Amino acid sequence: MNLLLILCALFQVAFAGGPTYDDRVVQLKVTWQRWERLQPWSKTSPTLRISQAVVVQGLPGQGPALLTTAQMVEDATHVRVTKQGEPNEFQAKVLFVDREANLALVVVDDDAFFDGLQPVKLAKKPLVQGQVVVARWRDNQLETSGGSVARATSIESMTGSVRHAGVRIQTDISGGGWAEPVFFGGALAGIATSASNSELIVMPSEFFGAWLDEVRNSGQVRPWPGRMGASFQPIGSDALASWLGLDSPRGMLISSVAAGSSACGVLHRGDVLLALEGQALDGSGNVRDPDYGLLWFGYLLSRYHEGDTVGLRVLRDGTEQDLAMTLRSYTSSSWLVPRDRKEPPAYLMAGGLVFRELDDTYGGRSTELSIVRQLWSQAQSADERRVAVLSHVLADPYNLGYHGFEDLPIATVNGLPVDLVSDVREALQHPQDGYHVIRLRPNPRLNEIVLDASTLEATTERIATAYGIPAVYRAEVPPPALGQACE
Amino acid sequence: MSFALLLSAAWCLAGPVPEAAEPPVPQLGGLERSVVRLTNTSQRADWEIPWNPGRPRVGQGSGFVIEGGRILTNAHVVADSKDLVLHLHDDANPYPARIVAIGHDCDLALVEPIDPSVLEGLTPLDLGSFPTQGDEVLTLGYPAGGRWLSTTRGTVSRIDVISSVHSGGSSHLSVQTDAAINPGNSGGPVMRDRQVVGVAFQASARLENVGYFIPMPVVNHFLEDVSDGQYDGFPRLDMFVANLDSPAARRRAGMEEGETGVRIDFVHPASPAHELLKPEDILLSLDGEALANDGTFHAHDQRLQLEAILDRFQVGDQVPARVLRGGERIDLQLPVAASVYPGRAYETLPTYVVYAGLVFVPMEREYVEVMGISKNHDILWEYAYKQLDSPEQVVPGRVVLLRRLDHAVNATVGVSASVVLDRVNGHEIFDLKDLVEALDGNQDPYQIFQFAYVDHLVVLDREAADAAHQDILQLYAVTPDRSL
């Protein structure tokens, strides 16, 4: 029967002339669960996410694998796949996930799954124009939709900070953006990473092709540089350009450089970045890609990894000079308010007070949190690695007077500065004259919380039982080592 | 059918009053003649386009005659006035009037007819006392829906300290009633028996049958304040206090069993009490009134917020206070002044400087409201939070780029609106005067603006900017280019 299927497939290609997709595209079913924001010890209701994956050659010496985006396997508790509209599900597991790049490889232990399937061919040329076919499984049928390349764009990973070139595709597919493969001339030209209205945002095969090669060759992907770590100002006006000593508006003015980033120690505030790897930046920070046209220059870093060196041309003190920048891995985990986290949220419940670390998964409505997020989200320093927050208070006679307070950033506990949840826990080992004193960052409502230290431990236990909290503490993954400060 | 029903109903109403009926609310016996209608033509500047004088609007409210040939009304009835006309009950003539005194924090004002003889023959209304919950009251005034006097009846529903909409946050003792209070009622008297117990001033837009009036203690405070011809306002301590419902917090503060009070978290540096009242002090009492752990005190057989204590004092008075500090109970005399937190601005014109299409304004309340703090956290921080967090970094003032009037000369500056100006040509900028000096005194070929938080540099070619300046003023009808 397998043979028959393959024959049929060959027959179809040979005689019908058109490419087939149903033997290259499979359906991915992922049950996923997140941690509850207000009960970080519990998970949300399990939910099913249905998406697509394509068959690719697996690691050397292994069978085929399935390629999809990291987003599709996010928070997975159970992964399975179906093929060709058949009802039986095959258990699958995530072999490798790269959240920075938003890519994942899924494998199926049962070799029978791949019977009748064959690896996709990757398009040889960048997808920059023309008609494409978008394929996905729906109700046991392969649904194909036509589309056309609308324009090039630079895409930032949905789950990390890698930015690469890509395209937007105008299509009549509805509700797309779930890793649907995009074919051009029968070869896989891209994977949809998201959608807006009738446009699919598509990661091109040249990006994930290089990624696959690296995974196959070394079994891993070298750390991505993420961001350069400099903030830039466009040089849009003649006046600004001539004040800087430029003949015309071009390049980006460096406003600040983050500690520990690739730019740190190389670029300085006041420099003008004129070119990266020979690609000249215009006054808006765009470079002209030979295939994709004008794109924000940041996508150039997607071609490099940690340890690679890139050449920069800058204007400094009125003279142009060439600099070499060795790339470091600088991601949002080096920020004061990290983004794109995958680890379970750290928390501490003590005396009914629930402490958390501020990150992008933490909701919260207070003005104090919005200010931190808006003004200082990337401003990690040696004094302040993260922001510890009083998330809310589980009401109990012990914490009477503090019921209803929520989302307040914390300055100190028992006089000790606290950045991390583990700092809060440690500081609670050092009561002051029988009391725990929690100082909040200034706000118009409350400066200080005082708790009776002698009964804290017993009370915490009692509240944990009363509110059904299985564990009162989950440690954080510590922030990466802080790099040296830079000018 | 309806015809017959109507007839019988009319008959019933016209019928004799049964002898056992409740005695009616005493008739006003002519006192209603002392309730007047005020028509105010106001003009309020537009802080979004600060050179615009604003559109004149006509509003109507109520007032009533008190001793001394004056009419008491709400501040919001006569605010931003360009012209004021008085109408009397049962008199079709309009009479020009003028404002004698206005208190925006308490929403009260005194006006008088330009011709004093207009009020001859009208009986000044008696100012009564504080009502009790459940008292029956009458509201008199000229609400929307007609030109003539309207009377509504209700009871005293609640006594509370609430903030007045007109002031933009100043809280005072107020009385809630279910007597209908609608637009136009504002400034009219609320009467119990034949005496005024308050001035109707606002109603809840969300809730039904919830109107508020300003009771006599607040009215008398206002009248006493203005008796010297000058309005000083209600005194405030400008502090933030924290509740002490937590027994652990009370014990740690050294309070005895049964002792109550609130913890001082912050006292504004410009408050006259700043030198006397320290953060961490426990405020036990004010003017002899023991404060509960939630900051309330006992009055009128209930709890009220402590602002009602401060309302007993005039600016310049000293308020007796008892605090617990370092284990000792200390008696203090706290000097009080009008709040340093600005209320809404009235009868003032916005200040601004336009240069080459960049509109700079001081970081003041009206501008902050126009820009919106929910989107502009840098302004929120500078305006409200910085003094709490890092008082040592607070600067005398801040100038903000309100907006840009688009023109070739500024088209590429990269910032458009609501950003805090830090320096111009290297000079720190605290107010518009600094800005003008930094711009006018500059002979370099460039005008250089540095913005805080966004870390953005704007460079203009000075000659080109100067040359475009007049064009932009004409194009966008900006006159004059600055108002300091």
Side-chain angles (χ1 to χ4, degrees):
Chain A
M1 144 150 184
N2 290 335
L3 189 65
L4 195 68
L5 268 175
I6 292 166
L7 281 176
C8 283
L10 285 173
F11 186 83
Q12 206 176 351
V13 172
F15 294 91
T20 60
Y21 306 110
D22 61 353
D23 55 351
R24 288 144 228 238
V25 183
V26 302
Q27 190 173 56
L28 185 66
K29 292 182 174 178
V30 173
T31 307
W32 62 276
Q33 235 188 344
R34 287 216 177 102
W35 294 95
E36 288 267 14
R37 181 177 96 72
L38 290 176
Q39 290 84 38
W41 44 85
S42 310
K43 282 187 157 189
T44 55
S45 174
T47 309
L48 180 66
R49 180 195 296 135
I50 295 176
S51 62
Q52 312 299 316
V54 290
V55 182
V56 294
Q57 273 165 9
L59 266 52
Q62 295 182 17
L66 302 169
L67 176 70
T68 188
T69 61
Q71 211 186 355
M72 295 304 120
V73 296
E74 199 87 313
D75 305 310
T77 52
H78 184 216
V79 182
R80 62 269 191 205
V81 283
T82 63
K83 60 168 178 172
Q84 297 183 323
E86 292 167 7
N88 49 325
E89 293 179 345
F90 288 76
Q91 303 307 306
K93 64 182 184 213
V94 179
L95 177 70
F96 187 80
V97 61
D98 180 354
R99 299 178 79 253
E100 283 299 311
N102 192 17
L103 284 167
L105 268 189
V106 174
V107 291
V108 183
D109 283 341
D110 186 348
D111 292 338
F113 177 73
F114 290 100
D115 291 346
L117 298 181
Q118 55 175 314
V120 287
K121 284 198 179 64
L122 300 196
K124 292 275 190 293
K125 286 183 188 164
L127 179 65
V128 287
Q129 58 179 358
Q131 300 301 310
V132 295
V133 173
V134 183
R136 67 173 171 191
W137 287 100
R138 276 216 151 172
D139 296 336
N140 310 326
Q141 295 287 332
L142 189 81
E143 176 188 284
T144 54
S145 313
S148 57
V149 178
R151 62 192 164 93
T153 183
S154 87
I155 299 174
E156 188 173 25
S157 161
M158 302 291 288
T159 49
S161 44
V162 172
R163 180 182 282 278
H164 56 80
V167 288
R168 288 171 163 265
I169 284 175
Q170 194 74 36
T171 171
D172 50 8
I173 195 171
S174 71
W178 300 84
E180 294 86 3
V182 175
F183 294 93
F184 180 76
L188 181 66
I191 293 175
T193 57
S194 63
S196 71
N197 300 324
S198 61
E199 275 190 340
L200 291 181
I201 290 76
V202 176
M203 176 194 287
S205 58
E206 59 169 3
F207 178 72
F208 59 74
W211 182 88
L212 276 171
D213 287 345
E214 178 142 351
V215 174
R216 287 196 200 105
N217 290 340
S218 60
Q220 58 171 355
V221 174
R222 283 174 293 153
W224 294 93
R227 292 151 184 270
M228 257 173 84
S231 61
F232 306 95
Q233 177 186 333
I235 300 174
S237 73
D238 289 340
L240 177 56
S242 84
W243 181 73
L244 290 165
L246 290 165
D247 43 2
S248 63
R250 62 194 173 94
M252 297 295 276
L253 177 61
I254 309 293
S255 316
S256 65
V257 180
S261 68
S262 303
C264 182
V266 180
L267 292 172
H268 301 302
R269 179 185 163 89
D271 286 352
V272 178
L273 179 61
L274 297 171
L276 190 145
E277 280 292 287
Q279 305 259 16
L281 276 64
D282 69 15
S284 305
N286 293 328
V287 295
R288 189 168 291 281
D289 185 278
D291 295 316
Y292 295 99
L294 276 187
L295 290 181
W296 167 254
F297 82 96
Y299 86 98
L300 291 170
L301 291 182
S302 67
R303 298 173 181 171
Y304 304 94
H305 291 278
E306 185 181 54
D308 292 345
T309 297
V310 295
L312 306 179
R313 189 160 183 83
V314 301
L315 179 76
R316 178 178 296 167
D317 304 326
T319 53
E320 292 196 17
Q321 46 187 286
D322 290 307
L323 305 171
M325 179 172 74
T326 301
L327 296 172
R328 302 192 183 110
S329 177
Y330 178 76
T331 64
S332 71
S333 56
S334 294
W335 292 354
L336 185 65
V337 184
R339 254 182 34 180
D340 309 320
R341 310 195 86 175
K342 62 170 184 289
E343 60 267 23
Y347 70 88
L348 172 70
M349 192 280 282
L353 276 62
V354 179
F355 300 94
R356 280 206 46 192
E357 192 182 299
L358 183 62
D359 63 23
D360 73 334
T361 66
Y362 184 99
R365 295 176 301 269
S366 78
T367 311
E368 291 76 20
L369 290 189
S370 315
I371 289 175
V372 173
R373 283 196 175 113
Q374 293 284 325
L375 298 186
W376 297 295
S377 67
Q378 303 185 23
Q380 195 185 67
S381 69
D383 295 340
E384 215 176 2
R385 308 296 313 275
R386 295 268 197 263
V387 179
V389 177
L390 172 66
S391 167
H392 59 287
V393 177
L394 301 167
D396 184 87
Y398 175 77
N399 52 43
L400 189 67
Y402 307 113
H403 299 173
F405 285 99
E406 58 182 13
D407 298 334
L408 293 169
I410 297 164
T412 62
V413 173
N414 293 329
L416 302 165
V418 292
D419 294 352
L420 311 171
V421 168
S422 59
D423 295 340
V424 176
R425 186 165 182 256
E426 166 60 24
L428 288 174
Q429 305 301 314
H430 307 283
Q432 297 183 315
D433 305 324
Y435 297 97
H436 291 300
V437 181
I438 298 154
R439 295 285 297 182
L440 304 167
R441 292 259 190 108
N443 68 77
R445 285 158 290 165
L446 184 69
N447 272 10
E448 189 176 279
I449 289 174
V450 179
L451 300 173
D452 183 339
S454 64
T455 54
L456 177 70
E457 217 165 304
T459 308
T460 300
E461 221 168 279
R462 183 168 51 73
I463 294 176
T465 308
Y467 282 88
I469 301 170
V472 296
Y473 176 59
R474 184 191 292 134
E476 70 277 338
V477 173
L482 188 78
Q484 83 251 35
C486 42
E487 306 268 299
Chain B
M1 163 212 130
S2 58
F3 191 63
L5 211 68
L6 269 177
L7 274 179
S8 68
W11 185 82
C12 280
L13 282 175
V17 177
E19 270 179 40
E22 296 276 316
V25 174
Q27 290 304 300
L28 291 163
L31 290 186
E32 71 275 11
R33 303 185 72 83
S34 303
V35 181
V36 307
R37 177 159 65 96
L38 291 162
T39 303
N40 183 32
T41 303
S42 64
Q43 191 180 27
R44 184 163 176 74
D46 181 352
W47 271 260
E48 280 187 54
I49 314 165
W51 46 90
N52 273 11
R55 185 154 30 117
R57 291 168 194 276
V58 180
Q60 180 173 299
S62 308
F64 56 97
V65 181
I66 59 170
E67 284 294 347
R70 301 275 168 83
I71 289 159
L72 188 62
T73 183
N74 284 142
H76 76 261
V77 169
V78 296
D80 291 320
S81 183
K82 296 286 169 180
D83 182 76
L84 190 58
V85 177
L86 176 64
H87 304 267
L88 305 179
H89 183 59
D90 195 15
D91 181 344
N93 295 319
Y95 301 104
R98 65 182 161 218
I99 295 166
V100 178
I102 189 159
H104 294 294
D105 56 353
C106 60
D107 198 3
L108 289 169
L110 273 183
V111 302
E112 63 185 8
I114 287 169
D115 174 2
S117 69
V118 164
L119 300 186
E120 276 171 19
L122 297 181
T123 316
L125 296 187
D126 259 357
L127 301 184
S129 56
F130 197 82
T132 308
Q133 204 164 24
D135 280 357
E136 196 155 285
V137 289
L138 276 186
T139 304
L140 283 76
Y142 296 86
R147 281 173 67 192
W148 317 120
L149 185 72
S150 142
T151 307
T152 58
R153 188 204 304 225
T155 58
V156 170
S157 317
R158 180 158 31 194
I159 293 156
D160 205 350
V161 173
I162 66 160
S163 90
S164 82
V165 174
H166 176 72
S167 69
S170 187
S171 295
H172 304 278
L173 186 61
S174 307
V175 179
Q176 185 189 317
T177 177
D178 63 345
I181 291 181
N182 286 302
N185 267 118
S186 288
V190 177
M191 308 199 65
R192 182 184 58 185
D193 303 331
R194 292 169 59 82
Q195 286 190 317
V196 177
V197 291
V199 181
F201 80 116
Q202 67 188 35
S204 168
R206 269 184 315 117
L207 307 172
E208 287 181 18
N209 304 329
V210 174
Y212 295 95
F213 63 86
I214 303 166
M216 279 307 122
V218 179
V219 171
N220 290 331
H221 186 286
F222 169 74
L223 293 175
E224 188 190 325
D225 185 335
V226 300
S227 61
D228 61 355
Q230 182 192 322
Y231 184 67
D232 300 311
F234 281 67
R236 285 294 173 264
L237 285 168
D238 290 331
M239 59 182 183
F240 293 148
V241 298
N243 291 356
L244 283 177
D245 287 330
S246 158
R250 289 200 299 273
R251 280 198 304 276
R252 178 166 182 272
M255 294 164 77
E256 286 165 4
E257 199 59 42
E259 201 169 31
T260 62
V262 286
R263 188 185 62 228
I264 310 281
D265 273 358
F266 172 79
V267 184
H268 195 286
S271 165
H274 181 254
E275 294 305 311
L276 293 167
L277 223 45
K278 302 290 174 198
E280 310 258 306
D281 281 356
I282 308 299
L283 186 58
L284 302 171
S285 74
L286 269 180
D287 195 25
E289 306 280 6
L291 297 180
N293 293 323
D294 66 350
T296 62
F297 71 106
H298 176 84
H300 307 292
D301 288 326
Q302 63 168 79
R303 312 290 320 168
L304 286 177
Q305 292 298 320
L306 61 80
E307 282 87 350
I309 303 176
L310 299 175
D311 281 359
R312 298 170 182 171
F313 295 85
Q314 293 286 352
V315 166
D317 286 349
Q318 302 215 320
V319 180
R322 195 171 169 83
V323 302
L324 172 60
R325 179 185 301 162
E328 286 182 54
R329 284 152 192 84
I330 307 167
D331 287 308
L332 302 171
Q333 296 287 328
L334 302 175
V336 283
S339 179
V340 299
Y341 293 104
R344 301 297 305 265
Y346 296 99
E347 291 101 33
T348 55
L349 290 172
T351 58
Y352 63 91
V353 168
V354 178
Y355 177 74
L358 305 178
V359 183
F360 293 101
V361 301
M363 193 179 64
E364 289 169 355
R365 175 169 177 159
E366 294 294 337
Y367 282 122
V368 168
E369 294 207 358
V370 162
M371 292 183 281
I373 48 171
S374 55
K375 300 189 296 270
N376 299 296
H377 287 77
D378 44 355
I379 290 167
L380 174 63
W381 178 260
E382 281 287 334
Y383 186 73
Y385 275 82
K386 200 170 170 182
Q387 61 181 359
L388 300 177
D389 187 85
S390 15
E392 71 287 351
Q393 287 177 25
V394 172
V395 295
R398 280 293 208 177
V399 170
V400 177
L401 175 68
L402 177 71
R403 66 193 307 158
R404 209 180 65 205
L405 304 171
D406 295 340
H407 184 274
V409 81
N410 62 36
T412 50
V413 299
V415 288
S416 53
S418 308
V419 282
V420 179
L421 184 63
D422 198 22
R423 286 163 185 270
V424 172
N425 298 323
H427 303 286
E428 276 191 282
I429 303 296
F430 302 125
D431 56 29
L432 294 179
K433 212 167 122 280
D434 294 342
L435 172 64
V436 167
E437 277 170 20
L439 288 173
D440 291 356
N442 179 32
Q443 297 305 313
D444 291 344
Y446 302 102
Q447 300 277 30
I448 299 163
F449 304 84
Q450 280 170 277
F451 294 93
Y453 300 102
V454 290
D455 214 352
H456 198 98
L457 196 66
V458 167
V459 176
L460 298 179
D461 180 310
R462 186 169 59 83
E463 280 182 20
D466 286 349
H469 183 68
Q470 288 303 326
D471 281 354
I472 295 172
L473 297 183
Q474 273 197 349
L475 193 60
Y476 287 90
V478 180
T479 25
D481 70 345
R482 61 189 64 174
S483 163
L484 303 178

